[in-house]
Amino acid sequence: MDARVLRKRIYKLLIFSILMVLGILLMAFLFINHADDSLNKATYTTMDQEIDLCVQRVSSKKNTDLVLLNTFARNLNKGTDLDFSLFEMKKESDFSSIQFIDMNHNVYSSKKDSKFSYNNLSDEYKDKIRGIINMCG
């Protein structure tokens, strides 16, 4: 064979090889890009589902706590020792502490060693308490 024909064949083979490598690189890029998009979509979908579950849990916990507090509020009229009732309620719930202020600004607490006083509250909290008392009374 002639050297010129051999060079032509090698040249064609080289061009074919380069085109094959470029084709493989293009397919790899497209595959990686698609896989990345799919992973991002799956991640966002999973995050949305987790956020929805967290919202449901928080809402359920809030509703459970409100039911518990309403049940306690109904039992306040039964003339029990308020400090003891608060202490017992705290033991049966997830609350870290429970305080109660009656219409006369007497303060009751679930913590035996708590020295919580109405007079020590900020004016902002006192205004809120007065507003609640006015709504109830």
Side-chain angles (χ1 to χ4, degrees):
M1 270 197 211
D2 191 327
R4 203 169 99 163
V5 172
L6 191 58
R7 273 191 207 151
K8 229 181 195 182
R9 283 187 178 177
I10 290 175
Y11 182 71
K12 285 182 184 179
L13 187 61
L14 182 62
I15 289 177
F16 179 74
S17 299
I18 289 172
L19 289 175
M20 288 295 287
V21 167
L22 288 175
I24 290 170
L25 287 174
L26 179 64
M27 287 190 304
F29 172 76
L30 291 174
F31 175 76
I32 290 171
N33 191 31
H34 177 71
D36 188 44
D37 287 345
S38 296
L39 182 61
N40 284 339
K41 192 177 217 179
T43 301
Y44 286 121
T45 300
T46 303
M47 285 174 56
D48 285 342
Q49 291 171 346
E50 287 296 319
I51 288 170
D52 289 343
L53 285 173
C54 284
V55 167
Q56 288 174 357
R57 282 187 217 125
V58 168
S59 179
S60 174
K61 176 68 174 147
K62 178 189 74 155
N63 289 338
T64 302
D65 289 349
L66 285 175
V67 167
L68 187 61
L69 289 172
N70 282 328
T71 302
F72 175 70
R74 274 188 249 116
N75 290 332
L76 286 178
N77 296 329
K78 295 184 179 174
T80 59
D81 178 19
L82 290 179
D83 287 322
F84 180 75
S85 295
L86 289 169
F87 179 74
E88 288 298 313
M89 184 180 173
K90 182 186 161 300
K91 285 192 331 189
E92 296 174 7
S93 68
D94 291 334
F95 297 121
S96 57
S97 68
I98 305 168
Q99 279 78 35
F100 174 75
I101 302 174
D102 66 11
M103 300 284 219
N104 298 322
H105 301 158
N106 297 317
V107 177
Y108 304 92
S109 177
S110 63
K111 290 185 176 182
K112 298 289 186 190
D113 57 350
S114 177
K115 299 298 180 209
F116 181 69
S117 170
Y118 177 82
N119 295 329
N120 293 341
L121 293 175
S122 68
D123 290 337
E124 178 185 351
Y125 285 117
K126 287 179 183 177
D127 289 341
K128 288 181 182 184
I129 291 169
R130 276 191 289 266
I132 293 170
I133 289 173
N134 289 337
M135 283 177 21
C136 296

